[in-house]
Amino acid sequence: MEYIINLPEIDKNELKLVVPNFFGKTKLYLNNVEVAKINNRYSINNGQDKPVVITLKNNYFDPIPTISVNDNLIQVAKPIKWYEYIWMGLPILLVLQGGLLGALIGLFALRLNISIFRNDKSAFFKYLTTLGVSLTFVIVFLAIAILLNGLISN
């Protein structure tokens, strides 16, 4: 996922935030050149020999970080609402029945659901797709649990 960040401090330069869909590190690009991270901060020149300090702060499960530019917060994407988190997090309930296996599968499904909610499709598509993902991972959990139960009992 790519997000263009419009900052008046950098004039007509293009600042882009690239967030991986699943695994990987978030990267920052200035005019299509990756900006080096030094001491958990990015420093870019604004074209007038004044540094612009950018910090990316983790948003827990949300893959899109909060961006601080010279200590001013910038909202890159619309925040995920509380009821969307509940909907996306339903697979976490597998932990109640499946312990560690349920937690791992539930967290994997949650991460996939969040990446689905972060795309630009319609709300109907997002809810329907995440429902399908959640049900699929419940079935995967049940299949693995039955398989492990059969292996242990033999």
Side-chain angles (χ1 to χ4, degrees), residues 18 24 45 48 66 76 92 94-95 102 116 122 134 137 139 147 154:
V18 178
N45 191 332
Q48 300 171 353
T66 300
V76 176
I92 294 294
L94 288 173
V95 75
I116 291 168
S122 69
S134 296
F137 277 94
I139 292 168
L147 179 67
N154 285 340

Side-chain angles (χ1 to χ4, degrees), residues 97-125:
Q97 183 63 33
L100 180 61
L101 176 64
L104 291 174
I105 291 174
L107 286 172
F108 192 78
L110 171 65
R111 182 65 180 97
L112 188 56
N113 283 344
I114 288 174
S115 66
I116 291 168
F117 256 84
R118 277 296 179 197
N119 69 33
D120 57 353
K121 305 288 186 200
S122 69
F124 178 76
F125 174 83

Side-chain angles (χ1 to χ4, degrees), residues 25-93:
K25 294 189 176 215
T26 301
K27 296 180 181 182
L28 198 61
Y29 291 88
L30 180 64
N31 298 326
N32 293 322
V33 176
E34 186 175 350
V35 180
K37 186 177 186 180
I38 302 170
N39 295 331
N40 290 327
R41 293 182 179 180
Y42 301 88
S43 182
I44 59 175
N45 191 332
N46 71 350
Q48 300 171 353
D49 294 329
K50 293 182 182 178
V52 176
V53 178
I54 299 171
T55 307
L56 304 180
K57 297 179 184 177
N58 191 359
N59 277 338
Y60 304 107
F61 291 111
D62 192 349
I64 300 175
T66 300
I67 297 178
S68 173
V69 178
N70 293 334
D71 294 326
N72 296 320
L73 293 179
I74 304 281
Q75 183 176 345
V76 176
K78 182 179 75 168
I80 296 174
K81 296 181 175 48
W82 65 269
Y83 55 86
E84 293 172 334
Y85 271 118
I86 290 174
W87 178 259
M88 292 181 292
L90 287 176
I92 294 294
L93 294 176

